Amino acid sequence: MSEYEKMGLKVGLEIHQQINTSHKLFCECPTTLDEESQGKLERYLRPVVSELGQVDVAAFFEWEKGKKIVYEVPRKSSCLVECDEEPPHPMNLDAIKLGLAMTLAFNGEPVDEIFVMRKTVIDGSNTSGFQRTAIVGLGGYIKDAEGLVTIQTIAIEEDAARKLEDTPDSVKYNLDRLGIPLIEISTGPDIKTPEQAKRVALLIGQMLRLTGRVKRGLGTIRQDLNVSIAGGVKTEIKGVQELDMIPKIIENEANRQRELLKIRDELRTRITRDDFERKVKEKDLTGLFTSSRSRLIQSELKKGGKVLGLLAPGFKGILGRQVMPGRRFGTEVSDYVKALAGLGGIFHSDELPNYGIVEEEVQRVAKELGTGELDGFILVVGPEEKVRKALQVIRDRLSQAFEGVPKETRAANEDGTSKFMRPQPGSARMYPETDIPSILSRELLEDAKKIMPSTPEQKLKELMKMGLNEELAKQVLNSPRLDQFEYLTRKYTNVSPTIVATTLENTLKYVKSQGGNIDKITDEDIETVIASVNQGKITKDSIPQILLEYSTPNSNTKIEAVISKYSGISEEELINLIREVVAQNREEVKSKGDKAFSLLMGKVMERVRGRVEGKKVAELIRKVMKDETG
Amino acid sequence: MLEGYRGKALELLSSLGADIGDVLQVYNDKVNVKGILMPSYSRDDSVVVLKLDNGYNAGFSVNKVKVTLLGRGNKVVERKGHEVSRPGKVKIISTGGTIVSKVEYETGAVRPALSTEEIIRFVPEIEEITSISAEVLFSILSENMKPEFWVKIAEAVKRAFDEGSEGVVVAHGTDTMSYTAAALAFSLRLPGPVVLVGSQRSSDRPSSDSGINLVSSILLAKEAPFGEVVVNMHGESSDTYTLAHRGVKVRKMHTSRRDAFQSINDHPLAKVLWKEKTVKVLRDDYIKKSDGVEVNAKFDSRVFLLKFYPGLKPDIVEILLSAGYRGIIIEGTGLGHTSSDFQEAFRKAVKDGIFVGMTSQCLFGRVNMNVYQTGRMLQQSGVVPLEDMLPEVALVKLMWALGQTSDLNEVKRIMLTNMVGEYNPRHSLDHFPRWKHE
């Protein structure tokens, strides 16, 4: 039994993958990103009562921030629907069909009647204040080496607007991404180890790619993780973009929950929660800091701010306890203050003296608050209203420490840690989208069956049948460019699939290793090159040079221009060239006879590499030499 | 009550003794979920609709799954709004529309339902502006509005001023809001503003414009210096300000945008900045407040709005006459024309005591029936050119005029009198919007 199984680790995945439909989920806009803005919109959102008569906590949390929301309105990729100025058009059925196809592929059950719901999201990422989403399938499973992992739901939903910037008073989005169809696949909490989570994510991603109907590239697939350990709670971690980070994020979260449980147990030996709540107190300590050397405190006091202290009974040593690499319990508290009270952060007793606050000040604070042997304290600086709010937030968070792990939605950090984002939303945030009639799935199932992905095993066989060796076939199977491979091989039948696969899987890596800028090479560029091979304009050997030359940083040439440089030469030209080379090397040819061949071959190839195949050159050299020696 | 269920699903649910709100389990060999039974608005009568634990609704066909009743649920409690009886400085009269709406399960559509008091709970900042009182006069969709309801609204407005309100806000559906605005404008002499307000995004959604529109309208009703009927809606797509348009010069010019309402052949009277809580009056030729409130709301709805189009035959006029219509507003082409075939039909109608007035389907600009011969001939037949009056406003005005008198000359005099700013004698270049083309 692994360490994590002993901890009772349970992980569920939510995979969100953009679908490559011809238009968005609820309008006719293309599903491409677009930076060209035709203006801005300024909006505010407010929470509403759901059909069950409740208001969602997460929604209220966002509203309390009262932020102005600014939208950049792109010319090509948005219309009045994204602007929330026109009701949604009927749902894109191609997206629903893909959801049904995946349901069938996982051996799940399609929902008979599909209802579009509004999931309240009032952080501004949806202009309407809700994300439109519909469950299309339930149940099913995938087989993993460590056991079956169940599929809970498969939903089709609209992607959110793309966040551009976030300040304390306003948040700015681009509307281009809003409405791109997403498929959301949620597994049950059946995953038992961090590595298994990564494997399952890979497998689901691969099955999606096998449909040939999903987007690829940065930001087109996102993983959310639901993590808990025995005694902990299910924590949602949002926005994991790198598959390789999944195990580390899970490990960190499992350890965080374990540390929080240890903290709970230790606190309980020191003081009861009731006693904590009785003894915890706050006090205005501004007077102690009027001549403080802390720059932060000085600047806040100048603006009329306050320094308030909170006595934290029983928390000595705990505020400074590490719960994740580089993150202490105090950091967790500080994140709550940042998110819920809009303040920069806190100072706590386990990290002082520091940050310009000196020992003498620490002692005076302790005295003023009456800090006992096992007690800690927290200082908050800023405008009084926010500071008071912050102290309330801190009290609540410290009090929760006696219970263990609070229910949170967290955001993944790039280093594999995570931080508090908001309280977990409840089911109250869902209510029906009344602008869209329900959809009967039986009318779509026939089409869905036709686009079901083949299994990876089947696909591997197919690829090898096309002439790919096993290694290359596996590379293609696991590649995000699988759909591109299929597209190119279907369309350009004169080019062997091996060449297409090599170009996509190896040549691009080679070009990168040689200092080429891969980002410059678009799918269209690759297609142009393959098409040129298909027409016999260039030889396959020239592909690496063409791509390398094209992608050289600072080069502005068009791919067509590079290709024309490598375009093949006629047999007549080649023979003339060979004759020329033979004439220049007449001495060697005379003295060495046939053995001069490799010399000539080298000299000719130097001048025609990439424009004609070596085999052809060799053949013509032999012919010329034969003529010459007659 | 198994709201909305029919056929097979109803049969099964009844046999289980299940009711809306109960917890059910549905299962087969592939799926096993529980959820709360929701009212059905399904197209398929075998489908049972559940709200799952994760909040999603999903439909399951009883042909494919087994259903069991797990437990009784909490009934979905409708919070009944009651009317606020204390008098306020601003009165809100609610008539329906999406500014006060919620989901109806039977059809899945949005229906007017919330009480005005619930709106106050929804937009608490109202109470920072002034004291208000509220009345739900009726709750109808604006497309179901009729002239007899205009009378009721006019009377309710009078009552509100008589009770001491300084201004009145009328919550109204947007589709026919400009008709009601015109009807009220012709019917009332006012000691304060009457502000019609609606929303283009229903109030059941977080992005609704209803909150800002309502707050702005209350502010306007309290602070505007005029005694006239206005429509106050979003000034642009952004949530920045609202515009108060003169009730007889406003038109809904877009099916769905927040800034659908625009002054036509006119400029707005005021701009309301909801964040700053200020009213910026844009013109000084507004109608001043009168000393008291007077109501004269009589309408004869035997009036027809005739939109001319190529191929329309004059026999339509005779059909209208024989059906007892007493007035016709023509929405003619260009400067105010119909085909010359109509000359005789109109001549006969006018001779029979029918009022025939001309407006333009161009909406922007003024009719002028002297420029072309057809126009001159139509005038000779007795057709009265109605300047730059909007076709719908002319229609409502004619209903009102016919409610006052049956004397054709008197009707004509009323129709040609600029009573509440329905005519704008001066059009400048900026009275016509220009659309971006490059």
Side-chain angles (χ1 to χ4, degrees):
Chain A
M1 210 187 211
S2 79
E3 183 194 349
Y4 291 101
E5 284 179 274
K6 280 183 209 145
M7 286 166 76
L9 178 69
K10 282 185 181 176
V11 180
L13 293 175
E14 277 176 32
I15 311 269
H16 302 86
Q17 165 76 60
Q18 283 182 356
I19 307 173
N20 199 16
T21 46
S22 62
H23 63 88
K24 288 185 178 180
L25 197 53
F26 296 107
C27 69
E28 312 310 306
C29 288
T31 58
T32 46
L33 301 185
D34 175 15
E35 299 284 345
E36 195 202 337
S37 174
Q38 57 169 312
K40 287 191 181 74
L41 289 176
E42 204 182 299
R43 297 272 172 77
Y44 297 83
L45 295 172
R46 61 171 78 222
V48 295
V49 178
S50 90
E51 58 180 327
L52 290 178
Q54 298 156 302
V55 172
D56 185 61
V57 282
F60 249 121
F61 165 71
E62 289 294 338
W63 187 52
E64 281 205 316
K65 292 199 214 158
K67 273 192 183 182
K68 174 163 89 181
I69 306 154
V70 179
Y71 298 105
E72 289 285 355
V73 183
R75 193 173 294 281
K76 294 195 192 85
S77 292
S78 77
C79 64
L80 286 185
V81 174
E82 286 89 341
C83 295
D84 191 43
E85 284 287 35
E86 184 181 325
H89 300 188
M91 204 166 182
N92 185 332
L93 293 181
D94 287 340
I96 298 278
K97 285 174 193 167
L98 183 72
L100 292 170
M102 291 306 293
T103 303
L104 297 172
F106 290 125
N107 208 22
E109 178 83 14
V111 164
D112 294 313
E113 188 163 15
I114 297 164
F115 292 94
V116 180
M117 304 296 289
R118 298 170 170 180
K119 188 192 279 184
T120 310
V121 186
I122 61 171
D123 62 0
S125 58
N126 289 71
T127 44
S128 54
F130 46 75
Q131 178 191 32
R132 296 186 183 96
T133 173
I135 287 188
V136 301
L138 292 162
Y141 56 84
I142 42 178
K143 285 182 194 151
D144 174 71
E146 289 183 65
L148 284 188
V149 174
T150 57
I151 301 293
Q152 280 185 339
T153 56
I154 294 177
I156 297 295
E157 52 193 35
E158 53 181 353
D159 205 345
R162 195 155 56 89
K163 195 188 267 188
L164 300 176
E165 62 180 53
D166 197 352
T167 68
D169 305 317
S170 75
V171 55
K172 191 179 197 179
Y173 296 92
N174 185 315
L175 293 182
D176 54 4
R177 204 180 66 186
L178 178 61
I180 294 180
L182 290 176
I183 178 167
E184 183 204 66
I185 298 171
S186 308
T187 76
D190 308 326
I191 296 166
K192 297 180 200 78
T193 64
E195 283 302 324
Q196 189 189 13
K198 181 181 163 186
R199 248 186 352 256
V200 171
L202 268 171
L203 183 60
I204 293 175
Q206 186 180 58
M207 285 182 70
L208 285 165
R209 284 195 300 279
L210 281 168
T211 64
R213 285 159 204 275
V214 297
K215 288 200 182 278
R216 74 182 124 80
L218 194 71
T220 58
I221 187 161
R222 295 192 293 277
Q223 281 87 208
D224 294 349
L225 307 172
N226 294 321
V227 183
S228 70
I229 62 168
V233 302
K234 188 185 94 175
T235 300
E236 295 180 5
I237 303 170
K238 295 253 172 218
V240 183
Q241 297 216 359
E242 290 279 335
L243 278 178
D244 290 340
M245 291 305 289
I246 288 179
K248 197 169 172 198
I249 291 169
I250 293 172
E251 285 164 23
N252 283 336
E253 176 57 24
N255 290 330
R256 186 186 73 96
Q257 296 197 14
R258 183 172 57 186
E259 289 309 310
L260 289 177
L261 293 177
K262 279 190 199 160
I263 286 173
R264 174 194 68 186
D265 295 343
E266 191 172 336
L267 280 173
R268 285 176 176 176
T269 65
R270 293 182 180 185
I271 182 171
T272 65
R273 187 176 183 168
D274 285 349
D275 278 343
F276 166 82
E277 297 208 332
R278 219 173 10 253
K279 286 184 182 165
V280 66
K281 65 170 180 189
E282 56 192 64
K283 199 161 184 185
D284 188 337
L285 303 175
T286 312
L288 296 183
F289 290 92
T290 44
S291 53
S292 175
R293 282 189 308 199
S294 159
R295 263 192 241 147
L296 173 74
I297 293 181
Q298 277 312 323
S299 94
E300 286 296 334
L301 292 188
K302 255 182 220 153
K303 287 185 271 178
K306 297 260 180 198
V307 183
L308 265 71
L310 183 93
L311 172 70
F315 275 84
K316 186 183 173 67
I318 283 175
L319 293 165
R321 186 82 49 88
Q322 179 165 301
V323 294
M324 265 191 191
R327 299 177 60 83
R328 297 167 190 285
F329 181 71
T331 325
E332 297 272 299
V333 177
S334 179
D335 286 343
Y336 270 70
V337 168
K338 283 177 194 165
L340 298 173
L343 276 179
I346 59 168
F347 300 110
H348 62 76
S349 46
D350 289 348
E351 61 181 353
L352 296 176
N354 202 344
Y355 311 110
I357 297 172
V358 296
E359 177 63 28
E360 195 197 335
E361 288 168 322
V362 173
Q363 304 240 345
R364 272 194 281 165
V365 169
K367 199 176 155 213
E368 277 292 317
L369 291 172
T371 314
E373 200 186 333
L374 289 172
D375 302 341
F377 66 79
I378 289 173
L379 297 176
V380 189
V381 190
E384 184 165 1
E385 195 188 340
K386 283 190 175 181
V387 170
R388 295 267 176 213
K389 167 105 195 179
L391 288 179
Q392 189 54 52
V393 167
I394 296 168
R395 277 175 185 236
D396 292 347
R397 181 63 191 88
L398 293 183
S399 179
Q400 278 172 341
F402 289 84
E403 291 298 310
V405 187
K407 264 185 111 99
E408 293 172 357
T409 297
R410 297 175 71 87
N413 295 324
E414 275 176 19
D415 64 357
T417 61
S418 64
K419 65 170 182 228
F420 172 78
M421 195 172 155
R422 53 173 147 83
Q424 265 180 35
S427 58
R429 71 202 296 223
M430 292 280 211
Y431 64 114
E433 168 55 88
T434 46
D435 295 342
I436 296 165
S438 57
I439 294 164
L440 293 174
S441 65
R442 62 167 190 259
E443 291 163 5
L444 306 172
L445 281 176
E446 279 312 306
D447 285 351
K449 278 177 193 154
K450 289 180 200 148
I451 59 167
M452 269 173 70
S454 40
T455 65
E457 295 76 27
Q458 272 173 340
K459 194 75 207 175
L460 189 67
K461 269 187 206 155
E462 277 173 40
L463 290 171
M464 289 173 66
K465 240 188 187 164
M466 290 170 84
L468 269 54
N469 66 38
E470 188 173 345
E471 194 195 338
L472 193 56
K474 279 187 177 157
Q475 265 182 294
V476 171
L477 182 65
N478 291 321
S479 167
R481 292 185 181 270
L482 175 63
D483 62 325
Q484 197 181 8
F485 170 80
E486 304 225 295
Y487 166 78
L488 292 172
T489 48
R490 257 199 308 272
K491 188 159 171 188
Y492 301 104
T493 48
N494 292 337
V495 185
S496 96
T498 301
I499 291 167
V500 176
T502 308
T503 303
L504 296 178
E505 294 310 312
N506 300 331
T507 308
L508 286 176
K509 282 186 197 125
Y510 162 79
V511 168
K512 193 175 176 188
S513 72
Q514 297 298 304
N517 173 19
I518 301 268
D519 295 340
K520 197 186 162 192
I521 305 174
T522 64
D523 291 2
E524 290 71 31
D525 292 335
I526 292 172
E527 179 167 358
T528 309
V529 171
I530 296 292
S532 303
V533 177
N534 194 58
Q535 291 163 11
K537 254 202 233 164
I538 53 170
T539 71
K540 67 175 170 43
D541 300 338
S542 61
I543 298 175
Q545 278 98 327
I546 288 174
L547 290 177
L548 184 57
E549 193 172 326
Y550 172 64
S551 65
T552 304
N554 306 324
S555 144
N556 282 324
T557 35
K558 290 207 161 141
I559 191 79
E560 290 79 6
V562 182
I563 287 171
S564 71
K565 270 173 74 177
Y566 286 89
S567 291
I569 55 177
S570 71
E571 192 167 315
E572 201 186 326
E573 279 175 283
L574 187 57
I575 289 175
N576 285 340
L577 179 73
I578 292 169
R579 286 203 174 116
E580 192 186 307
V581 172
V582 168
Q584 281 164 359
N585 298 280
R586 196 163 300 278
E587 289 304 306
E588 280 87 348
V589 175
K590 250 186 198 164
S591 61
K592 291 189 183 165
D594 282 354
K595 285 177 189 151
F597 171 78
S598 56
L599 172 86
L600 296 174
M601 183 74 191
K603 300 246 178 199
V604 175
M605 283 309 286
E606 230 170 67
R607 295 175 59 177
V608 300
R609 193 179 307 280
R611 297 157 71 191
V612 58
E613 284 182 49
K615 215 169 91 187
K616 183 84 189 168
V617 175
E619 183 191 313
L620 289 177
I621 289 178
R622 290 220 164 83
K623 190 164 171 263
V624 171
M625 284 174 75
K626 207 174 159 197
D627 292 351
E628 293 272 316
T629 54
Chain B
M1 244 289 278
L2 286 162
E3 192 183 336
Y5 281 99
R6 316 165 272 134
K8 267 194 165 172
L10 177 65
E11 208 174 291
L12 179 84
L13 292 171
S14 310
S15 74
L16 291 172
D19 202 353
I20 304 299
D22 288 349
V23 181
L24 301 187
Q25 183 168 29
V26 300
Y27 59 97
N28 63 16
D29 59 332
K30 285 185 175 169
V31 67
N32 186 348
V33 289
K34 60 177 187 171
I36 298 168
L37 183 65
M38 299 307 284
S40 166
Y41 31 95
S42 174
R43 290 197 285 134
D44 180 334
D45 71 2
S46 79
V47 167
V48 170
V49 183
L50 295 188
K51 189 177 186 71
L52 308 179
D53 285 346
N54 56 17
Y56 280 90
N57 288 11
F60 300 90
S61 168
V62 299
N63 297 331
K64 283 168 68 186
V65 293
K66 290 202 163 67
V67 183
T68 54
L69 177 63
L70 286 186
R72 297 285 167 201
N74 300 321
K75 290 279 168 284
V76 181
V77 187
E78 295 269 331
R79 275 189 286 184
K80 276 258 158 57
H82 62 90
E83 290 179 16
V84 181
S85 54
R86 67 191 155 83
K89 289 189 173 158
V90 171
K91 175 100 178 207
I92 302 174
I93 296 169
S94 173
T95 69
T98 53
I99 196 164
V100 280
S101 64
K102 67 173 184 183
V103 174
E104 187 189 82
Y105 289 106
E106 227 165 285
T107 56
V110 178
R111 292 268 180 212
L114 294 175
S115 79
T116 310
E117 197 217 2
E118 276 170 308
I119 309 173
I120 299 164
R121 196 162 40 197
F122 170 59
V123 196
E125 53 268 46
I126 287 172
E127 300 202 280
E128 289 170 27
I129 297 170
T130 185
S131 62
I132 58 166
S133 56
E135 176 186 354
V136 180
L137 187 61
F138 32 74
S139 190
I140 55 166
L141 292 169
S142 89
E143 58 266 34
N144 295 333
M145 188 57 68
K146 291 179 172 65
E148 49 263 44
F149 298 134
W150 298 339
V151 178
K152 291 210 167 74
I153 299 172
E155 285 163 353
V157 169
K158 181 178 188 304
R159 276 199 307 278
F161 281 112
D162 286 343
E163 284 162 11
S165 296
E166 292 171 17
V168 175
V169 172
V170 179
H172 196 291
T174 54
D175 275 13
T176 61
M177 185 151 64
S178 62
Y179 292 84
T180 302
L184 295 180
F186 293 120
S187 303
L188 290 160
R189 278 194 59 222
L190 293 165
V194 171
V195 184
L196 274 76
V197 65
S199 68
Q200 286 284 81
R201 293 287 88 71
S202 62
S203 54
D204 60 273
R205 43 203 290 162
S207 62
S208 174
D209 51 338
S210 61
I212 290 168
N213 288 350
L214 197 57
V215 167
S216 308
S217 296
I218 290 166
L219 192 66
L220 192 67
K222 179 171 171 267
E223 296 192 355
F226 44 72
E228 59 178 302
V229 179
V230 295
V231 166
N232 180 53
M233 296 283 289
H234 260 54
E236 55 180 13
S237 183
S238 288
D239 288 335
T240 38
Y241 61 90
T242 61
L243 288 173
H245 305 273
R246 179 164 269 168
V248 287
K249 286 307 242 186
V250 66
R251 203 164 183 283
K252 187 177 185 179
M253 297 301 285
H254 198 276
T255 57
S256 58
R257 284 179 61 129
R258 289 165 172 77
D259 53 0
F261 283 84
Q262 298 291 342
S263 289
I264 307 296
N265 298 324
D266 201 37
H267 291 308
L269 288 179
K271 182 174 178 175
V272 186
L273 299 152
W274 65 278
K275 258 182 293 175
E276 295 80 0
K277 297 204 167 63
T278 53
V279 174
K280 193 177 164 195
V281 178
L282 301 175
R283 295 163 53 170
D284 53 15
D285 61 341
Y286 51 79
I287 301 171
K288 303 278 183 297
K289 294 177 180 177
S290 65
D291 287 341
V293 58
E294 280 173 41
V295 58
N296 176 6
K298 276 181 272 179
F299 298 92
D300 185 333
S301 59
R302 289 174 292 173
V303 169
F304 195 79
L305 181 57
L306 182 71
K307 185 162 188 155
F308 174 75
Y309 53 88
L312 183 69
K313 294 194 177 61
D315 58 1
I316 190 75
V317 179
E318 277 162 45
I319 294 169
L320 290 173
L321 258 54
S322 59
Y325 279 77
R326 295 182 58 209
I328 297 171
I329 298 296
I330 308 164
E331 201 178 306
T333 55
L335 286 165
H337 303 130
T338 63
S339 89
S340 42
D341 302 346
F342 275 77
Q343 203 183 337
E344 203 39 53
F346 290 144
R347 188 194 308 280
K348 187 170 174 288
V350 174
K351 220 171 135 190
D352 286 358
I354 305 299
F355 179 86
V356 183
M358 179 64 80
T359 62
S360 174
Q361 49 194 249
C362 296
L363 303 177
F364 288 94
R366 193 186 310 281
V367 299
N368 188 321
M369 299 174 68
N370 301 320
V371 177
Y372 295 103
Q373 196 189 356
T374 305
R376 293 193 291 268
M377 276 159 46
L378 287 173
Q379 284 192 83
Q380 281 163 22
S381 312
V383 176
V384 180
L386 296 174
E387 299 275 329
D388 70 331
M389 216 187 334
L390 285 165
E392 302 86 358
V393 172
L395 182 83
V396 172
K397 189 177 181 184
L398 184 53
M399 288 187 197
W400 183 82
L402 289 167
Q404 310 303 312
T405 175
S406 50
D407 173 23
L408 185 59
N409 281 327
E410 180 59 8
V411 169
K412 192 171 166 184
R413 189 194 65 77
I414 292 171
M415 288 306 287
L416 291 175
T417 306
N418 193 1
M419 295 180 63
V420 285
E422 66 271 30
Y423 288 117
N424 178 8
R426 292 183 64 241
H427 288 183
S428 51
L429 273 175
D430 59 0
H431 278 112
F432 185 59
R434 298 292 292 118
W435 279 266
K436 279 185 194 160
H437 42 78
E438 268 178 317

